[in-house]
Amino acid sequence: GMAVLPNDGKCRMKKSPLGDFYEYIGSTDYDYPSLNQVRVLAIETKTLLVFAVIEEARAVYDSLVSLINVGIATTISDNSNNILEVIETSYRTGRGAILFEHSILMNQPFDVSVLPVENCNMPVKDGCDGVSLDSEVVFEVTVSLTSCLQKTDKVILSIPSLGQQLEVLVDSVCQCGCETQPEIASEICNENGNLTCGLCGCEDGWFGCHCNCSGDPNVLMCPTNPNTGLPCSGEAQGSCSFESCLRECECEEGFIGSACECSENNCRASVNAEVCSGNGYCTCDGCQCNAGFSGTFCECNRGSCIQMGSDSVCSGVGECKCGNNPCVCSCDCPSTTTSQFCEEPVDLCGTYRACVACLVQESDCKSSCPKNTEYEFIDEVMDTFYEINGSSTVGCSASSEDCSYHYYVAIDSAEVIPVHIEMCPGPVFPYYWAVPVIVVAVVLLLGFSTLILVKLIIVIKDRNDTKKFMNEARRAKMVNENPLYVDPDIKYSNIKYRSEEN
């Protein structure tokens, strides 16, 4: 059968027998929801509708969105594998910009302006762009009349991307009893205008609340907001002052700038934080920090760049740089100084002495010379204050066996350090083969000299020992026989032996 009842907006869903999905059970009795029902429900629930469809159906849903003026139509792949990415992107797109639209029921002479006053970093005409998720933006909507209304009218304000609208009934009171009896050349108006219903109507050439300022009021306008075109960015942010006849903006608390166009919230590290952390003041270009502080919100204390007992940051020659998370400050010293506070000068002469000595000897000096250095030989320099490419220099002197020369090191260069060297009269060693010959000859001479000296010492010692021995031998005399002496000749007699004579 066919559905005969209009959709009543109720949910008639029943779980399937397997329990894995829900199905609509009122299709045979109730018609589909009308477009107006969808629109009203989205507005009531503050829901952003995302119609994610394939490319072939995109045109139909674009028309649907334009009809109900709620939601976004977008395209997904044929197999729907990017459905989550598409929905998230669409949600961010729909919430990223909040733009107002307005319509007037009877088309009477209205002027409607929309101005974001809180939590909007990118104000645009009739709205705010770049709104983050879960943030709250406060708008000021001004409805003004350009002429009297014939009857009460209705102004409809809407935010299509959010599906929300507001209806405002407007009536006008165009005639007051006091208007029929103005005070001509009133003293309140400095006699430069008429007082009507408590307000001064100034004569030509005069302006101000009391007609106290002379000149063209159109020329002496207060500064206007470059994004909205409103003087002093609208009454919510500032008002145009007539006190000094210069029409300067008097900004409300929390706003700064010549047209009150900048919010002090941009100078806070967090919502409840102090402006510029209490260590500076806020400008439209950001925080201007007091002495001794730096960082986006002046949150970095540069005291760690000042040496104890000194008042100058980085000894007055370096730059105090501060990192983030955590905020730690340290000195970035020039090439002429070193140490923590740039207080110790670098010995530039000593740094380049070995390199320059090598270059003077016309040798291969890659290993002796620092990187990022340019060298150039020059004639003798007579000027005491010598400069290289406009940079001041340190004058250094050096000498070798055959040559005395000067060299100059630039101290103001950042990346490449130029060094100028005076030419020697000639190379220190013009004959390179003489170097090893001289070394060998010196070694041999030292060897032979050492051998001769050792031999001479040995001979002299032997002669002295011999002479000493002979002298001692001559002085030795034995008076008596040595009691320890034993005669080597011994005689023995055989008692049994008898001579033939016996």
Side-chain angles (χ1 to χ4, degrees):
M2 299 178 61
V4 295
L5 299 175
N7 192 288
D8 57 1
K10 295 183 179 180
C11 180
R12 292 179 171 80
M13 304 294 291
K14 180 180 179 181
K15 184 178 293 188
S16 66
L18 297 178
D20 54 350
F21 66 93
Y22 286 84
E23 59 181 352
Y24 183 60
I25 60 174
S27 59
T28 58
D29 300 321
Y30 294 91
D31 193 4
Y32 289 104
S34 67
L35 295 182
N36 187 61
Q37 284 180 303
V38 174
R39 179 177 180 277
V40 171
L41 185 61
I43 293 174
E44 289 178 351
T45 59
K46 299 181 180 180
T47 302
L48 175 65
L49 301 178
V50 177
F51 299 99
V53 297
I54 59 176
E55 183 64 32
E56 290 77 4
R58 177 63 184 272
V60 175
Y61 282 88
D62 283 338
S63 301
L64 172 63
V65 171
S66 64
L67 287 174
I68 63 177
N69 203 20
V70 173
I72 297 173
T74 185
T75 305
I76 60 173
S77 59
D78 293 338
N79 57 6
S80 302
N81 59 356
N82 63 336
I83 182 65
L84 293 178
E85 178 182 356
V86 168
I87 292 177
E88 181 179 1
T89 302
S90 300
Y91 181 78
R92 293 183 181 276
T93 302
R95 298 295 189 186
I98 299 178
L99 301 177
F100 281 80
E101 294 182 359
H102 69 273
S103 60
I104 302 171
L105 185 62
M106 300 177 63
N107 199 25
Q108 296 195 74
F110 283 97
D111 185 13
V112 179
S113 65
V114 178
L115 178 67
V117 295
E118 290 185 17
N119 303 329
C120 179
N121 296 323
M122 298 177 61
V124 296
K125 182 176 175 56
D126 294 334
C128 180
D129 199 358
V131 180
S132 60
L133 300 179
D134 301 326
S135 63
E136 181 177 306
V137 182
V138 179
F139 293 89
E140 179 185 274
V141 180
T142 303
V143 179
S144 57
L145 300 176
T146 58
S147 63
C148 292
L149 299 180
Q150 298 178 0
K151 60 176 65 178
T152 301
D153 204 345
K154 181 185 294 185
V155 177
I156 302 175
L157 297 171
S158 63
I159 306 177
S161 61
L162 299 180
Q164 299 184 26
Q165 71 175 29
L166 174 67
E167 296 181 356
V168 181
L169 294 177
V170 182
D171 201 352
S172 61
V173 178
C174 298
Q175 187 85 30
C176 295
C178 57
E179 291 182 355
T180 60
Q181 298 177 348
E183 183 180 342
I184 307 301
S186 172
E187 292 183 0
I188 297 177
C189 302
N190 292 289
E191 299 182 355
N192 297 319
N194 303 329
L195 183 66
T196 304
C197 296
L199 298 177
C200 287
C202 302
E203 298 177 357
D204 293 341
W206 295 93
F207 66 93
C209 294
H210 302 286
C211 302
N212 56 317
C213 302
S214 62
D216 186 353
N218 295 321
V219 175
L220 299 175
M221 289 290 292
C222 275
T224 59
N225 188 309
N227 295 317
T228 63
L230 296 176
C232 302
S233 302
E235 294 182 0
Q237 295 183 212
S239 58
C240 195
S241 172
F242 295 90
E243 295 294 332
S244 63
C245 299
L246 297 178
R247 297 216 173 183
E248 297 177 343
C249 291
E250 293 182 351
C251 299
E252 297 293 332
E253 184 178 359
F255 294 94
I256 57 173
S258 60
C260 307
E261 72 275 20
C262 303
S263 173
E264 287 187 341
N265 291 333
N266 297 328
C267 295
R268 303 178 191 268
S270 60
V271 176
N272 298 321
E274 288 187 79
V275 175
C276 299
S277 304
N279 302 317
Y281 61 92
C282 186
T283 70
C284 287
D285 296 325
C287 287
Q288 295 294 320
C289 302
N290 297 333
F293 295 89
S294 64
T296 304
F297 303 104
C298 304
E299 73 278 15
C300 299
N301 189 339
R302 299 197 297 170
S304 57
C305 293
I306 301 177
Q307 189 178 17
M308 184 177 296
S310 174
D311 295 331
S312 58
V313 176
C314 298
S315 302
V317 296
E319 181 182 358
C320 186
K321 293 186 175 180
C322 302
N324 295 320
N325 300 324
C327 182
V328 179
C329 300
S330 60
C331 289
D332 183 15
C333 301
S335 58
T336 56
T337 60
T338 183
S339 71
Q340 180 180 356
F341 304 104
C342 311
E343 74 276 15
E344 296 182 6
V346 174
D347 182 13
L348 293 177
C349 292
T351 301
Y352 295 93
R353 183 173 289 112
C355 175
V356 172
C358 179
L359 292 170
V360 170
Q361 297 174 12
E362 300 181 0
S363 303
D364 183 9
C365 305
K366 291 183 179 180
S367 59
S368 302
C369 296
K371 296 180 179 179
N372 299 329
T373 310
E374 292 181 350
Y375 302 93
E376 179 181 343
F377 284 95
I378 58 175
D379 296 330
E380 183 179 0
V381 176
M382 302 301 296
D383 189 0
T384 304
F385 301 100
Y386 182 66
E387 292 185 350
I388 301 178
N389 300 331
S391 298
S392 57
T393 62
V394 173
C396 312
S397 60
S399 62
S400 61
E401 184 177 351
D402 298 332
C403 176
S404 296
Y405 53 90
H406 295 83
Y407 58 98
Y408 303 85
V409 182
I411 61 177
D412 296 334
S413 300
E415 297 180 356
V416 178
I417 300 179
V419 178
H420 285 188
I421 309 167
E422 292 183 3
M423 291 293 293
C424 276
V428 177
F429 295 104
Y431 305 103
Y432 298 106
W433 57 267
V435 176
V437 172
I438 293 175
V439 173
V440 172
V442 170
V443 172
L444 291 177
L445 180 60
L446 291 176
F448 282 121
S449 299
T450 303
L451 290 176
I452 292 173
L453 180 61
V454 171
K455 182 63 177 177
L456 180 61
I457 292 173
I458 294 175
V459 171
I460 293 174
K461 185 176 185 304
D462 288 345
R463 287 182 180 180
N464 291 336
D465 291 343
T466 301
K467 185 177 179 180
K468 181 178 179 182
F469 175 76
M470 295 300 296
N471 291 335
E472 291 179 352
R474 282 194 296 269
R475 288 196 301 268
K477 294 181 179 180
M478 290 295 187
V479 177
N480 297 318
E481 185 177 354
N482 189 349
L484 298 178
Y485 175 75
V486 179
D487 192 349
D489 296 332
I490 302 175
K491 293 182 181 181
Y492 296 93
S493 298
N494 190 347
I495 58 174
K496 293 182 178 183
Y497 174 73
R498 293 183 178 179
S499 170
E500 291 180 358
E501 292 179 356
N502 295 330

